[in-house]
């Protein structure tokens, strides 16, 4: 959870706890139990959603690392094959093998 996000959720939870504890003092001021419950539910949902986002970020990080590794494998394979074609055939024929290099 990012620091800002975690701080906001913690502040909301702390506020809810304080409002519940002192409900008798805040209810005449127009704060209802329903408002407090909605705030509490929203804070809880925000924390859960953030955990989900963090899990997705980790999944993306792992997937990106895997994709980068595979791309390196592809590049190395292309380099090896192109070297063989370049050594064995004249430059004019390279295009026949899909090698677009000029030299």
């Amino acid at each position: 959870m990012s620091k800002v996000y975690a701080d906001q959720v913690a502040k909301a939870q702390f506020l809810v706890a304080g409002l519940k504890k002192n409900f008798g003092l805040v209810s005449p001021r127009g704060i209802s139990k329903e408002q407090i419950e909605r705030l509490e539910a929203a804070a809880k949902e925000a924390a859960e959603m953030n955990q989900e986002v963090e899990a997705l970020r980790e999944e993306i990080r792992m997937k990106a690392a895997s994709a980068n590794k595979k791309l390196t494998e592809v590049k190395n394979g292309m380099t090896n094959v192109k070297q063989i074609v370049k050594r064995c055939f004249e430059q004019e024929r390279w295009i026949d093998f899909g090698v677009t290099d000029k030299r």
Side-chain angles (χ1 to χ4, degrees):
M1 185 180 283
S2 74
K3 181 78 170 136
V4 173
Y5 207 93
D7 286 347
Q8 285 297 322
V9 170
K11 286 177 184 178
Q13 291 169 338
F14 189 65
L15 178 64
V16 165
L19 291 172
K20 282 182 172 181
K21 182 178 168 184
N22 296 294
F23 184 70
L25 297 172
V26 296
S27 64
R29 308 274 190 236
I31 298 176
S32 67
K33 281 191 185 262
E34 292 77 28
Q35 283 178 299
I36 296 170
E37 289 170 359
R38 282 195 307 265
L39 179 58
E40 184 176 31
K44 182 180 177 188
E45 187 176 357
E48 290 169 358
M49 291 174 90
N50 191 63
Q51 287 177 336
E52 194 176 322
V53 167
E54 290 300 322
L56 290 170
R57 281 187 185 139
E58 180 62 21
E59 184 179 339
I60 288 170
R61 188 185 68 75
M62 298 296 286
K63 201 60 116 162
S66 179
N68 289 337
K69 191 174 182 180
K70 188 56 74 176
L71 183 59
T72 299
E73 184 181 324
V74 167
K75 285 180 177 181
N76 290 339
M78 286 175 53
T79 300
N80 292 338
V81 171
K82 285 166 78 174
Q83 286 175 351
I84 293 170
V85 169
K86 287 180 177 184
R87 279 189 302 225
C88 296
F89 299 95
E90 295 294 320
Q91 186 174 354
E92 295 78 30
R93 299 239 12 245
W94 291 355
I95 194 73
D96 296 340
F97 299 97
V99 178
T100 58
D101 300 355
K102 299 294 181 190
R103 47 186 176 131

